[in-house]
Amino acid sequence: MKTIGIIGGSGFYNYPELGETNVISVDTAYGKVNAIAEASLNGNKILFLPRHGEGHKTPPHKVNYRANIEALHQLGATHVLAFNVVGGIGEKCAPGTMVVPDQIIDYTYGREHTFFDGFENELAHIDFGEPFSEEIRQALIKTLSGSEFEYLNQGTYGCTQGPRLESAAEIRKLRNDGCDLVGMTLMPEAALAREKGLQYASLCFVANWGAGMENEKVLIDNILALLNSFVPKIREIILKTTRFL
Ligand code: HPA
């Protein structure tokens, strides 16, 4: 039996497909995490954690990423599957596409981004050359290949600070840097998971083109409308993926 954490992003606050769940709160050295839903599925234990808290009250730059990852670690998770909503920058990253990213560029600042704040722990400099678990990435790709979704099995995620969306010039800079996707929530989450020794990968849903890439403005209402129409299918993809882990 594996213990698999699932971190839900925007639009993904509950998990009816899990059936009966046990709702847990965890006290960590970094703060309390409420509303983790625990369930058993196909012989695995699933821990569903809504990244932005109950009712999406916490914006991306204020999420307590350390407490979230520590709580999953304390509950025995070895694998974490994250869901992130993004804007598309790469040519093939049109709205509606699913992407399993393989690289990250971190543009965030001022976030609590490490468990290794002092030098008391020897492992202060983790390897992050390949930021994602290839095991989980391949499981996601296998699930997507049998689904109706258009998907890409690699891409570079540029993580911006938010909560505002980007300027057109910022999106051009990200594109020049090699980013295919832009979002606000993958970092420091991915790095913290690596610091705790967790297998971690992300499934990204492209909800809009990056700012300035088409004539229309990027509006959060349009992003959420497209996302909401896909969320039940996204929840299904993630649960199917846990079977391959
Ligand atoms: N920028 C940043 N984060 C996002 C976007 C975007 O265009 N779309 C969804 N999350």
Side-chain angles (χ1 to χ4, degrees):
M1 186 193 81
K2 285 193 169 130
T3 299
I4 303 169
I6 297 174
I7 301 183
S10 295
F12 185 177
Y13 311 122
N14 52 33
Y15 222 134
E17 294 81 358
L18 287 178
E20 279 285 290
T21 58
N22 186 16
V23 179
I24 319 173
S25 293
V26 183
D27 271 315
T28 77
Y30 309 97
K32 192 170 181 182
V33 183
N34 291 317
I36 299 178
E38 180 191 57
S40 292
L41 198 84
N42 307 312
N44 289 324
K45 188 199 277 186
I46 307 290
L47 300 166
F48 173 65
L49 190 166
R51 178 184 290 116
H52 300 273
E54 285 168 291
H56 197 143
K57 294 207 184 85
T58 321
H61 63 294
K62 288 271 176 72
V63 168
N64 193 339
Y65 295 97
R66 291 199 298 186
N68 284 351
I69 292 295
E70 173 64 19
L72 292 175
H73 185 243
Q74 270 178 230
L75 293 172
T78 52
H79 291 66
V80 176
L81 247 153
F83 173 65
N84 301 79
V85 184
V86 295
I89 299 178
E91 213 179 305
K92 295 185 183 149
C93 301
T97 309
M98 294 284 214
V99 186
V100 184
D102 64 333
Q103 278 298 333
I104 303 175
I105 300 180
D106 187 5
Y107 300 94
T108 66
Y109 47 87
R111 301 184 180 191
E112 295 288 358
H113 66 287
T114 180
F115 290 112
F116 299 129
D117 259 344
F119 280 99
E120 71 280 359
N121 193 321
E122 265 181 48
L123 266 179
H125 303 285
I126 50 156
D127 162 45
F128 206 50
E130 297 299 330
F132 298 106
S133 155
E134 200 52 30
E135 181 193 353
I136 306 183
R137 277 185 16 84
Q138 290 308 325
L140 281 164
I141 291 164
K142 196 163 160 182
T143 311
L144 287 168
S145 70
S147 80
E148 66 201 73
F149 280 103
E150 293 286 330
Y151 71 96
L152 299 171
N153 57 17
Q154 59 182 50
T156 296
Y157 180 123
C159 193
T160 56
Q161 174 73 350
R164 65 166 178 83
L165 293 155
E166 297 71 33
S167 68
E170 285 170 336
I171 293 293
R172 282 197 299 274
K173 172 190 150 79
L174 263 62
R175 190 214 286 263
N176 289 338
D177 282 358
C179 296
D180 301 296
L181 309 169
V182 58
M184 305 175 191
T185 50
L186 193 62
M187 287 298 283
E189 193 175 273
L192 292 166
R194 177 65 58 85
E195 285 189 349
K196 286 285 166 192
L198 305 176
Q199 299 278 333
Y200 176 100
S202 159
L203 175 65
C204 291
F205 176 76
V206 183
N208 58 285
W209 283 113
M213 294 187 62
E214 56 174 13
N215 286 334
E216 283 165 43
K217 282 187 182 172
V218 179
L219 297 175
I220 193 69
D221 288 350
N222 298 345
I223 292 178
L224 293 178
L226 183 70
L227 171 67
N228 288 336
S229 63
F230 280 97
V231 162
K233 284 182 183 157
I234 293 167
R235 290 197 302 245
E236 211 175 290
I237 296 277
I238 290 177
L239 276 198
K240 277 193 185 153
T241 302
T242 64
R243 292 176 193 230
F244 298 129
L245 294 176

